[in-house]
Amino acid sequence: MAVREVLKMGDPRLLQKARPVEEFRTAELRALIGDMLDTMHHLHGAGLAAPQIGVDLQVVIFEIARNPRYPDVEPIPLTVLINPELEYLSDEQDEDWEGCLSLPGLRGRVPRCTHVRYRGHDAEGHAIDRIVQGFHARVVQHETDHLQGVLYPMRMRDHSKFGFTEVIFPHLAIVE
Ligand code: NI
């Protein structure tokens, strides 16, 4: 397993639609997921999509560990989600700050649907089917957007709420 280079915004590979995974339980898929986990943990990210390391497949990972410094952020179990399908369960949208490992050092306010259902498979091909809300719903929408070639600034409505983390949050040591 290895930490891989994360592509940055401007790279055309981030704007492509990813292909579905057709075969589970392969050495290649396990190696890809291992590299994605190593890369996300190394960079302290909350999520990562395969296209961000230049792999054109519908694989995303995400995890929010419980952090006593951010008691309001609900933890999300480490999830490997393959060939995801997203269903919006509400017309309600909520705007909050997002960051992305492909836009290092930046933050933007992004509107997202508050309640979603997502389905897909884990690395072994087992079905995943969850109904989630709040930050979990936001993270899933952000990561699955990567599989459609969509980066969060493309979802923003108010670009006055877009800038460098160190300027917007000068008192917080926020990681990507
Ligand atoms: Ni991202």
Side-chain angles (χ1 to χ4, degrees), residues 26 60 62 84-85 103 107 115 120 157 176:
T26 65
V60 302
F62 44 88
E85 285 176 47
L103 290 81
R107 285 289 185 282
H115 295 74
R157 293 201 195 100
E176 289 305 315

Side-chain angles (χ1 to χ4, degrees), residues 29-48:
L29 185 59
R30 289 197 181 101
L32 168 64
I33 290 164
D35 283 359
M36 289 175 67
L37 290 167
D38 285 352
T39 303
M40 180 177 78
H41 289 142
H42 177 73
L43 297 171
H44 306 288
L48 187 71

